[in-house]
Amino acid sequence: MTEIADRPLTVPVIADAAEALAVAARLSARFAAGASERDARRQLPSAELDELSGSGLLGITVPREYGGADLPTSVVTEVFRLLAAGDPNIAQIPHSHFVYVNALRQNGTESLRRLLFAEVLAGRRFGNAQSELGTKHVQDYRTRLRAHPEGGYVLDGVKSYSTGALFAHWIPVLAKNDEDRIEVAFVPADAAGLTVVDDWDGMGQRTTASGTVKLDGVRVPADHVVPHHLTFTGPQLYGARAQVLHTAIDAGIARAALTEAVDFVRTRSRPWFEAGVEHAHEDPLTVQRFGELEVSVRAAEALLAVAGRTIDEAAAALDEDSAAAASIAVATAKSAADRAALDVTNALFEVAGTRSALDSLNLHRHWRNARTHTLHDPVRWKIQHIGRYILNGTQPPRHGVL
């Protein structure tokens, strides 16, 4: 690892894919050790996020001209899968960090890029203030970014499901401007008028602190605003890159649940008396079920890898066709990963037996995490786009969730 001495924090710069994956694997093992207890107590992973920031992983997509490794999506995807296999809550928290690094590199001004990429390389985290409750649909926004008579802008609104905001140094806020166009305002977490409320009470992904952000007359300098509406005016990979990270989280949940099921059955489960065997892991019906589950998880992992590579290929030669192929590859992987996460986390109890349902063991956290996280961006619509693409050659729409 190399160091950049003029940054305010001493954070290593990860040099290449091999180093990024090694760091992610190491952190995954560390985070896994306390994941169950954090979930049971709803103990927010502040120390773990500081360790993640200090590892240099949050800077791996910063462009090389700004000092980052600029690693491809296929590598970032595997980093997220590894982290999610350790603790999917910790993996989900920086999801928006990477999404908005991408938004910044796509439409940010040179001065804003220099400022915020330096912040990222110093270990600073981006959160998110995007979704809203009570609107007509998920892309209907009431939050407003209005011109201020003294210059710059002012933000007003309320955001929900703001994963990462409670732990963030900067909070990108999605809002509509005076022309009713979507903008992203990058706001310091300690800005006057900005309040982050830890009111997330989801049954799963409990320690993501995906609560509320309130914006009451928050002043924003003009050069801290990114014209996000331009993202979707031509072929883009913004949505595919965001969705593939959600897919990686689902695949990580599936692998973690299957790993814990294997350990439980081998060390704690009893065989069914009709099997005529000494150990649960020798029961032929249990063996059959584990084989089926492993096929499901491996298929999800393989499709995830294909999706990452397809995005990288599209980035090298971006046009309408390559962007569409990337979105469809991600939608396909997301469909498989959702199914694997839900199937495996449910089957864990089937293969492990009655004891696995004890609340004190907290094995149900895997199912709660899977059921909660897979509610992101319904797969049924992804299946529709896949069907139209393969049957009629219809390219998927340009938006941030495909």
Side-chain angles (χ1 to χ4, degrees), residues 181-398:
R181 293 177 174 176
I182 295 293
E183 310 267 22
V184 175
F186 284 82
V187 182
D190 60 356
L194 187 153
T195 306
V196 181
V197 183
D198 180 20
D199 57 359
W200 171 241
D201 65 348
M203 68 174 181
Q205 296 297 91
R206 297 181 65 209
T207 64
T208 59
S210 301
T212 300
V213 171
K214 298 179 180 180
L215 305 147
D216 183 12
V218 178
R219 293 292 301 274
V220 182
D223 59 359
H224 283 198
V225 175
V226 172
H228 193 52
H229 56 90
L230 298 179
T231 302
F232 308 104
T233 57
Q236 52 81 35
L237 297 172
Y238 181 87
R241 284 180 167 138
Q243 287 296 301
V244 80
L245 299 186
H246 279 309
T247 305
I249 294 169
D250 292 336
I253 292 172
R255 176 55 69 188
L258 188 55
T259 298
E260 190 150 7
V262 167
D263 179 70
F264 194 93
V265 169
R266 290 190 60 84
T267 61
R268 306 183 73 168
S269 294
R270 298 183 297 179
W272 185 242
F273 69 95
E274 292 178 281
V277 296
E278 288 294 317
H279 305 287
H281 62 264
E282 298 169 331
D283 184 327
L285 299 183
T286 301
V287 169
Q288 173 74 17
R289 193 70 178 105
F290 269 97
E292 293 167 349
L293 295 173
E294 177 68 11
V295 168
S296 178
V297 175
R298 286 200 188 197
E301 291 169 345
L303 287 169
L304 176 67
V306 169
R309 292 197 301 270
T310 305
I311 292 172
D312 291 341
E313 291 165 2
L318 186 61
D319 58 23
E320 294 285 1
D321 291 336
S322 65
S327 287
I328 293 299
V330 173
T332 303
K334 184 71 161 60
S335 300
D338 274 30
R339 186 178 301 116
L342 293 171
D343 286 352
V344 173
T345 57
N346 183 56
L348 184 157
F349 303 99
E350 169 195 337
V351 296
T354 306
R355 191 185 307 177
S356 64
L358 293 176
D359 192 58
S360 59
L361 295 175
N362 202 24
L363 294 178
H364 49 68
R365 76 185 185 281
H366 297 294
W367 181 85
R368 290 186 287 101
N369 288 337
R371 182 63 282 178
T372 300
H373 187 260
T374 55
L375 295 175
H376 268 284
D377 317 314
V379 162
R380 60 188 179 274
W381 273 98
K382 298 182 189 301
I383 296 292
Q384 285 283 311
H385 293 307
I386 294 167
R388 294 186 186 116
Y389 180 81
I390 191 65
L391 184 61
N392 300 318
T394 304
Q395 293 185 343
R398 296 174 186 160

